[in-house]
Amino acid sequence: MTEKTQSIHGQWSSRFAFILAATGSAVGLGNIWKFPYITGENGGGAFVMVYLLCIAVLGIPIMIAEITLGRRGRQSPINTMQTLSEESGVDPRWQYVGWAGMIAGFLILAYYSVIAGWSMAYIVKAFFGNFINSDAEEIQRLFENLMANPVQQIFWHTAFMMATMYFVMQGVQGGLEKAVRFLMPALFVILILLVGYAMSTGAYEQGMNFLFNPDFSKIDADAVLTAMGHAFFTLSLGMGAIMAYGSYLPNHVSIAKTTFFIAGADTVVALLAGIAIFPLVFANNLEASAGPGLIFQTLPLAFGHMSGGWLFGLLFFILLFFAALSSSISLIEPAVAWLVENKNIERHQACVWSGAACWALGVGVVFSFNIWADLKLFDKNLFELLDYLTANLMLPLGGMAIAVFAGWMMKTQHAEQELELPAEGFQAWRFLIKYVSPAAVFLVFLHVLGVL
Ligand code: TRP
């Protein structure tokens, strides 16, 4: 038996615990809030196809790569990349991939927390029966009122950030591992219920058509970039979150099988959310391209009219909050782990400092929905800027770097040792990670830059 390393931050109690945590990280606002609205903004079917393709050729191989690197390095992404580049005898500057990832996670969390705060505000609205028998216009007004109110948004953003940091403080085996165990299946059940309601709206077919009937004339290079970026975003890839989680993974757990499960569950949740939402959009003559408010302007309509809607609405927003929470902790974990390793500070201190900094940036994001709405750079407000910079640029580039590292820098034998795959499986992964994934990201960027 070879001696293998263990992380100083602890280890998941089992393979199942890792699956829960990683699925918890993957399934979040990206699936339920972001996927539907960007699909709506980018014309539907063709966008969905590109997204699914990216999950297959980029998401799955790169997730395998991230977990592999993480488990081999057993530290925060920055130190893992450093250790592994030494081990592989390559330039130590590969650690900058870890740095960029840490910054990306930080920038994402700043706006992620604001949106998660909206879902908390909606728990209260659901509780007070604000959706009951409301029409589309009233539901829209409810959302607009929240957008116009920075104080309320900051309140919820603060509450969410505190909840996140509380759980990050507990370390990897904290309470969330237990909570996610039943919250995820519950979220799944409510989504199925919502799909059932969508079927009764009379616009189900129209919704399905919008989602799954591709019209490639509707997408351009930027839409392809958004779809690709979202594949990274929704699987939590490209910034080291999954690498950090992988570093707590016990040895001899099958990385490939685990990855298939996570990617499968994540994709199903996103598609269900889309199937639940678009029929509501068409049945109520709403705009598919309504933007970040889309779920908040559609789903309450279903809850306001279906039987048992009060309870399901309440449960839905509570579950959405937990789904966001189990994602947000992975956004900041790389930074916290690094602070603990390198700055010789306690975990709780690391949490307070990184959380506070992230919170401050989030306040700016809140303002970008009201008092700073017209403050634009490259035609984007702060929220849009952070989203574009992270999801469309930093994550794909980070993912590409991880692919290149795993495919070209790391010794084949080391990768084999971690993956323990049958030969054909290993060859297939190796081929994807060496050639297909980096080339795909590169081509999309060339296309966006107009070179191609
Ligand atoms: N995947 C999560 C979602 O879909 C968001 C998320 C969590 C994330 N950790 C991440 C995105 C790391 C990118 C990188 O909601």
Side-chain angles (χ1 to χ4, degrees), residues 221-226 388 393 443-452:
D222 220 43
V224 172
L225 178 64
T226 303
Y388 195 90
L393 303 179
L443 289 178
V444 172
F445 275 112
L446 287 186
H447 196 36
V448 171
L449 293 172
V451 182
L452 210 74

Side-chain angles (χ1 to χ4, degrees), residues 244-264:
Y245 276 19
S247 73
Y248 314 136
L249 184 64
N251 300 313
H252 302 300
V253 168
S254 163
I255 292 177
K257 264 193 240 160
T258 309
T259 295
F260 282 115
F261 177 85
I262 300 164

Side-chain angles (χ1 to χ4, degrees), residues 25-26 28-31 108 112 233-234 236-237 239 241 327 330-331 395:
S25 165
L29 296 174
N31 307 62
I108 294 172
Y112 204 84
F233 186 91
T234 192
S236 306
L237 296 177
M239 54 72 67
S327 300
S330 73
L331 284 163
L395 298 182

Side-chain angles (χ1 to χ4, degrees), residues 153-271:
Q153 285 187 72
I154 290 172
F155 175 81
W156 291 115
H157 159 56
T158 309
F160 185 81
M161 197 58 98
M162 286 170 72
T164 299
M165 296 336 284
Y166 173 79
F167 278 102
V168 178
M169 262 179 221
Q170 315 285 308
V172 300
Q173 285 152 29
L176 209 69
E177 190 180 306
K178 290 173 200 89
V180 172
R181 201 170 288 236
F182 65 93
L183 294 169
M184 283 288 153
L187 182 65
F188 189 77
V189 171
I190 293 216
L191 282 173
I192 301 272
L193 249 158
L194 281 168
V195 170
Y197 181 79
M199 286 179 171
S200 74
T201 55
Y204 184 66
E205 228 167 285
Q206 205 181 339
M208 290 300 271
N209 209 30
F210 179 78
L211 273 174
F212 297 113
N213 200 353
D215 173 357
F216 285 94
S217 69
K218 281 190 184 158
I219 55 172
D220 55 10
D222 220 43
V224 172
L225 178 64
T226 303
M228 177 174 84
H230 188 63
F232 286 98
F233 186 91
T234 192
L235 293 176
S236 306
L237 296 177
M239 54 72 67
I242 293 294
M243 199 186 288
Y245 276 19
S247 73
Y248 314 136
L249 184 64
N251 300 313
H252 302 300
V253 168
S254 163
I255 292 177
K257 264 193 240 160
T258 309
T259 295
F260 282 115
F261 177 85
I262 300 164
D266 186 81
T267 306
V268 169
V269 171
L271 294 179

Side-chain angles (χ1 to χ4, degrees), residues 103-150:
I103 294 167
F106 183 84
L107 299 178
I108 294 172
L109 182 57
Y111 72 82
Y112 204 84
S113 170
V114 173
I115 314 295
W118 298 354
S119 73
M120 290 174 88
Y122 269 67
I123 296 175
V124 177
K125 294 187 201 303
F127 179 79
F128 285 109
N130 290 352
F131 314 144
I132 296 177
N133 292 326
S134 295
D135 59 24
E137 214 170 295
E138 288 164 316
I139 294 291
Q140 198 153 354
R141 208 168 321 123
L142 219 51
F143 182 72
E144 280 162 9
N145 286 343
L146 177 64
M147 286 310 96
N149 191 334

